[in-house]
Amino acid sequence: MKKGSGLLRFSGLVTVALAMTIVFAACGEEEKKGDSGQPATAAGGNSAATADACKIVTQEDASKLFGKPAVRDEGVPVVDPNMKSECIWTWDSPDADNQLLQFRVWNGTAYYAETGDSFTKPIDLGEKGHIRVHEFAGVDVEWLQDGKTISLSYSTVGKGVPDPTTKVEEVKQLAKKVEGEL
């Protein structure tokens, strides 16, 4: 056995034990309530919540926006109890080009945030909305509707994909569709 390998194994066991402690602590918490007073759902562990979001922003919607076949992506689990629903669609090329469409619904209005920069403009959605368009960050639309914060984001990475700023009108139209279905 190499010198020091026992320390690495011990370190790995401590990491696993710490992760399990966090998971068990989270499972033992009281049911949390969203701003609406209703039980909130963490989308990371609730496939029903994710499925609902993917019925609103569909594979067909994402494929049309990408101009390529979209694939559902699980993303990173969100543990915030106010995450009501999410759906993530992606397209990846063999050359590491990527298009990403993210749709999220948050319980409460505290998740709504305008950056106040020159890339952000008001948009007529819900009770209050804005759109942020940037060639590197992509197109982000966010609005308040019925006590919830709704976000729809489109971004790209790579040379073989469209500049996201060329998709502004398509993302706006998709946001209008989402607004009508919520």
Side-chain angles (χ1 to χ4, degrees):
M1 187 180 285
K2 292 183 181 178
K3 188 174 184 178
S5 65
L7 180 59
L8 287 174
R9 190 173 303 129
F10 176 74
S11 171
L13 289 172
V14 169
T15 302
V16 169
L18 180 59
M20 289 177 64
T21 301
I22 292 169
V23 168
F24 289 132
C27 290
E29 289 182 12
E30 275 185 53
E31 178 181 69
K32 293 187 178 179
K33 304 276 184 181
D35 288 350
S36 67
Q38 298 298 314
T41 304
N46 186 327
S47 61
T50 302
D52 290 344
C54 290
K55 287 179 182 175
I56 296 170
V57 175
T58 66
Q59 183 177 21
E60 183 180 332
D61 294 328
S63 295
K64 181 178 176 187
L65 181 65
F66 297 165
K68 310 276 184 187
V71 176
R72 193 159 153 201
D73 191 337
E74 294 302 318
V76 177
V78 176
V79 296
D80 187 321
N82 284 313
M83 170 67 79
K84 183 173 172 106
S85 192
E86 86 173 334
C87 187
I88 302 171
W89 296 104
T90 189
W91 172 83
D92 296 301
S93 80
D95 300 323
D97 294 332
N98 175 269
Q99 294 185 73
L100 182 67
L101 179 63
Q102 302 172 78
F103 168 55
R104 293 188 174 94
V105 179
W106 298 88
N107 252 348
T109 58
Y111 296 88
Y112 182 83
E114 290 183 41
T115 61
D117 61 23
S118 62
F119 304 104
T120 305
K121 306 287 184 230
I123 189 170
D124 186 23
L125 286 170
E127 291 103 45
K128 178 180 182 181
H130 67 269
I131 184 168
R132 185 171 195 270
V133 180
H134 190 276
E135 66 182 296
F136 299 118
V139 181
D140 297 311
V141 182
E142 191 174 69
W143 69 95
L144 298 175
Q145 184 172 337
D146 301 324
K148 296 177 208 66
T149 301
I150 316 300
S151 68
L152 184 66
S153 299
Y154 170 73
S155 59
T156 62
V157 175
K159 294 180 181 182
V161 292
D163 174 336
T165 63
T166 65
K167 299 286 188 163
V168 172
E169 289 307 313
E170 291 174 76
V171 174
K172 282 181 179 179
Q173 290 305 311
L174 185 54
K176 288 280 188 190
K177 173 195 174 243
V178 168
E179 178 190 34
E181 291 187 24
L182 289 176

